[in-house]
Amino acid sequence: MELGRLNVARSPDHVLERAYNEALATMTPEMIAFYNLSMNDMLDQLVNNWDGVSFIDSPLQNLSILEALITGEASPASLGISNDAMTLAAVALGAASDKNIPISEDTVVALSVIMEMDMSPQQVADLAAAAEAVRQAIAEGHG
């Protein structure tokens, strides 16, 4: 299975923890506003307003956010965001991945094993579908 940029999920816990803290430190009001949008509005912004969208691009930072949300170590509210955890997890996974490598259920399962995230089959399917939509929007918007 090709994970591309997602291979950084194999980083030691202290590296992911540092990336998580860096992500929190770099969170701007513009990023929070973006992450508070509905999934459809976020996808629209990524496709049609690429240069005006402010979000976390770092694979390590995004994967650390994904892990914190899925394991319950963080909540959207702890990030200053009012959106739901699975939407934010999907955006984090979609942004962490390569623009040209599709995100499948197998991708999510591999990450859940590597990062020790307990997920139901339904969560895996939902996360994969939503993250793939984000990845496609980023690929289209970025060009």
Side-chain angles (χ1 to χ4, degrees), residues 40-106:
N40 286 338
D41 288 343
M42 281 191 266
L43 296 174
D44 179 65
Q45 287 297 305
L46 290 169
V47 170
N48 298 309
N49 187 28
W50 175 255
D51 291 331
V53 177
S54 182
F55 68 101
I56 295 170
D57 184 50
S58 161
L60 264 175
Q61 289 178 5
N62 276 299
L63 287 174
S64 70
I65 290 170
L66 169 70
E67 180 182 43
L69 290 168
I70 297 297
T71 62
E73 293 174 23
S75 68
S78 70
L79 301 171
I81 298 167
S82 61
N83 218 325
D84 66 277
M86 286 306 282
T87 297
L88 294 180
V91 172
L93 178 53
S97 70
D98 285 84
K99 291 186 295 287
N100 299 320
I101 300 175
I103 299 169
S104 67
E105 289 182 29
D106 288 340

Side-chain angles (χ1 to χ4, degrees), residues 1-17 59-60 63-64 67 106-107 109-117:
M1 159 160 294
E2 176 64 41
L3 292 176
R5 287 177 19 144
L6 298 177
N7 270 318
V8 297
R10 301 177 197 280
S11 298
D13 289 341
H14 72 276
V15 172
L16 286 166
E17 185 176 326
L60 264 175
L63 287 174
S64 70
E67 180 182 43
D106 288 340
T107 306
V109 169
L111 288 175
S112 72
V113 170
I114 292 167
M115 300 178 80
E116 300 177 355
M117 300 182 298

